[in-house]
Amino acid sequence: MPILVARDLVKVYQRGSSEVRAVDGVTLNVEAGEFMAIMGRSGSGKTTLLDLLGCLLRPTSGALEIDGRSAIGASDGELATIRRERIGFVFQEFNLIPTLTALENVLLPLRYGPRRPDRQARATELLELVGLGSRTSHRPTELSGGEQQRVAIARSLVNEPAVILADEPTGELDSATSDTLMETLRSLHRDRQVTIIIVTHDAGIAGRTDRVVRLSDGRVVADERRDEPGFDRALADKPAANGHGGRVWAGVR
């Protein structure tokens, strides 16, 4: 059974007297254990789609299931539980609390669920997993950008989610650090069979995943897998299937 199922997802924003269809009828199945990228130019709707899949936004219409459970019509509290228990988030800006140490930042999501007796050991183990076992007491300002993003990855794993959603996780990093980060994500996928979905505009990053879904104007225009003939690492360089590039709408990513 797919871990995520989207059917005809639509997200409409009102911009004055106009409507912007940021996501326009997306249908997508994500199997457990996939390592995939959602690509598109600025304004293509890729971040909006990720936010819908992560229950950070409610769709205007369509269906969404997570682990066979419908997220449509769920209360705010039920959506918060889904996000806390089933989904881990990694953001471009890291979103670490500057006054907390790396260990305290990783522990933060555990404050909002049942108290775990092994919480300290769990957070320490995850920091060691991402290569920061010697940096647990450092605050974000004492860490490099790549180290901060690895703290964010450890934090995303602390509740043992079924899915990690990463929004431009290499966007603030140099190319060498981006390579290291992608190797970290690949190792997590390989060793722990975590489902990982990365939003990116970078064909090089997308080409290191096993599946690339490309959006243009809020619609899926390509869906390719590494094990299929013709898998294209440079998918982003192709013209959109509808004949024009992704339009840039105010407030739509």
Side-chain angles (χ1 to χ4, degrees), residues 11-24 41-48 215-219 242 244-253:
K11 182 61 179 179
V12 177
Y13 291 105
Q14 197 71 33
R15 297 285 184 262
S17 60
S18 302
E19 287 187 346
V20 176
R21 298 176 77 86
V23 171
D24 191 8
R41 299 175 183 175
S42 180
S44 62
K46 58 188 184 296
T47 292
T48 301
L215 296 187
S216 179
D217 295 339
R219 304 183 189 96
N242 59 7
H244 53 81
R247 293 191 292 265
V248 180
W249 302 99
V252 178
R253 297 172 293 163

Side-chain angles (χ1 to χ4, degrees), residues 156-168:
S156 76
L157 289 165
V158 75
N159 276 324
E160 301 179 75
V163 182
I164 292 178
L165 303 180
D167 188 4
E168 298 280 8

Side-chain angles (χ1 to χ4, degrees), residues 13-239:
Y13 291 105
Q14 197 71 33
R15 297 285 184 262
S17 60
S18 302
E19 287 187 346
V20 176
R21 298 176 77 86
V23 171
D24 191 8
V26 167
T27 293
L28 191 66
N29 284 3
V30 180
E31 300 292 334
E34 283 204 83
F35 186 27
M36 63 177 283
I38 298 174
M39 285 197 66
R41 299 175 183 175
S42 180
S44 62
K46 58 188 184 296
T47 292
T48 301
L49 177 58
L50 196 76
D51 288 348
L52 291 171
L53 296 178
C55 299
L56 293 172
L57 289 177
R58 291 182 183 271
T60 303
S61 63
L64 175 65
E65 294 182 2
I66 300 174
D67 273 352
R69 176 184 176 186
S70 176
I72 304 301
S75 68
D76 290 345
E78 289 169 333
L79 291 180
T81 298
I82 291 173
R83 290 192 299 268
R84 183 178 68 245
E85 296 181 354
R86 308 303 295 155
I87 302 171
F89 296 94
V90 180
F91 301 99
Q92 180 177 350
E93 298 83 5
F94 316 141
N95 288 353
L96 302 179
I97 306 299
T99 57
L100 301 182
T101 66
L103 182 63
E104 290 166 341
N105 268 285
V106 175
L107 284 168
L108 199 58
L110 295 177
R111 293 183 181 180
Y112 304 102
R115 186 170 181 83
R116 295 177 54 145
D118 64 339
R119 57 198 301 271
Q120 192 94 358
R122 168 77 177 157
T124 301
E125 174 198 1
L126 290 172
L127 284 169
E128 291 172 350
L129 182 68
V130 298
L132 294 176
S134 64
R135 311 283 275 173
T136 59
S137 62
H138 288 65
R139 288 181 170 78
T141 55
E142 301 171 306
L143 301 171
S144 69
E147 288 171 334
Q148 289 183 61
Q149 194 61 293
R150 281 186 279 158
V151 173
I153 291 171
R155 181 184 58 191
S156 76
L157 289 165
V158 75
N159 276 324
E160 301 179 75
V163 182
I164 292 178
L165 303 180
D167 188 4
E168 298 280 8
T170 63
E172 299 291 331
L173 307 176
D174 60 47
S175 58
T177 307
S178 296
D179 286 344
T180 299
L181 183 71
M182 287 302 296
E183 284 302 315
T184 299
L185 290 173
R186 171 60 77 180
S187 295
L188 289 171
H189 170 259
R190 181 184 62 244
D191 299 340
R192 300 203 170 204
Q193 294 299 299
V194 180
T195 305
I196 301 176
I197 303 175
I198 298 173
V199 155
T200 184
H201 66 277
D202 187 330
I205 296 298
R208 298 177 68 172
T209 68
D210 298 326
R211 178 184 178 189
V212 178
V213 173
R214 185 180 177 214
L215 296 187
S216 179
D217 295 339
R219 304 183 189 96
V220 174
V221 295
D223 187 349
E224 296 183 355
R225 299 173 187 271
R226 181 176 295 278
D227 58 359
E228 294 174 347
F231 179 82
D232 190 349
R233 289 172 175 263
L235 185 61
D237 296 331
K238 291 182 177 180

